[in-house]
Amino acid sequence: MKTERYITRRTFLKKSGLLFGALLAAPIAGFSYTRYMEPRLIRIVNKKLAFRNLPRSYEGLRIVHFSDVHLDFHYGLDRMEGLVAKLRELQPDLLCFTGDLYDNSVGSSKEGCSRLLGQLKAPLGKWAVLGNHDYTAGAEAVTSILEDGGFRVMNNSWEPIGHEGQ
């Protein structure tokens, strides 16, 4: 036996209105999140790593990793000052930056950015690689900014990190 379900005009208009409203709200919500909320989010995750063959001198070292700053008109040097302050509070032994310092272009924030990065201290060094947005913004300029800030920028290379003779 075949049963057919009919929808009333009133129900159709209600559901269509809800669907239209949701489709209209989705891009506005997405834009609001990426413009106003995400640039203010700094997430700090502490993890203890255990390695069987780790030399004793490396036990208890603090490695701080940060990434995806995306400096531009959404995230300026004023906000980056807050990030640098939080990173300094963590007192890293080794500092790693893994790309996307800038979003689309370097702009006029070169000296200020290098100055802020220079405030970060790490006895075992500050290491960096470029991200895809850094290449869009200008790899040479971003490399120069990171190096002026005291970072060793790795580009298809590696270096051993010695600590207390190990």
Side-chain angles (χ1 to χ4, degrees):
M1 176 185 292
K2 189 176 181 184
T3 60
E4 293 185 30
R5 259 183 58 180
Y6 291 100
I7 186 169
T8 66
R9 181 174 189 269
R10 180 183 188 104
T11 303
F12 173 78
L13 290 174
K14 271 187 184 177
K15 289 185 179 189
S16 297
L18 287 172
L19 179 62
F20 179 73
L23 291 174
L24 188 62
I28 295 169
F31 171 79
S32 298
Y33 174 78
T34 57
R35 173 69 172 96
Y36 299 108
M37 292 178 68
E38 189 170 346
R40 290 171 174 76
L41 295 176
I42 296 176
R43 189 175 66 168
I44 297 174
V45 178
N46 292 306
K47 292 196 180 235
K48 289 189 180 208
L49 303 175
F51 298 98
R52 280 186 286 175
N53 298 326
L54 185 71
R56 288 222 186 271
S57 67
Y58 288 90
E59 287 181 17
L61 288 182
R62 185 178 295 249
I63 300 170
V64 173
H65 165 254
F66 72 109
S67 179
D68 295 289
V69 175
H70 290 282
L71 278 170
D72 70 359
F73 66 94
H74 294 295
Y75 193 93
L77 291 178
D78 55 332
R79 288 202 187 135
M80 188 168 170
E81 281 185 54
L83 171 64
V84 167
K86 285 185 189 271
L87 291 171
R88 289 179 68 188
E89 286 173 13
L90 296 172
Q91 300 177 339
D93 295 301
L94 178 71
L95 190 59
C96 301
F97 174 71
T98 54
D100 292 345
L101 182 60
Y102 284 88
D103 195 45
N104 292 316
S105 64
V106 171
S108 62
S109 63
K110 295 177 195 175
E111 293 81 20
C113 183
S114 289
R115 180 185 51 80
L116 286 171
L117 292 172
Q119 294 174 9
L120 297 169
K121 305 295 179 214
L124 294 179
K126 303 186 307 188
W127 305 84
V129 295
L130 300 183
N132 62 321
H133 285 262
D134 295 325
Y135 284 96
T136 302
E140 288 181 24
V142 175
T143 298
S144 175
I145 290 165
L146 286 164
E147 288 175 345
D148 289 347
F151 280 80
R152 173 75 172 98
V153 179
M154 306 303 289
N155 185 13
N156 293 324
S157 60
W158 65 274
E159 285 186 33
I161 299 172
H163 181 57
E164 295 179 3
Q166 297 184 321

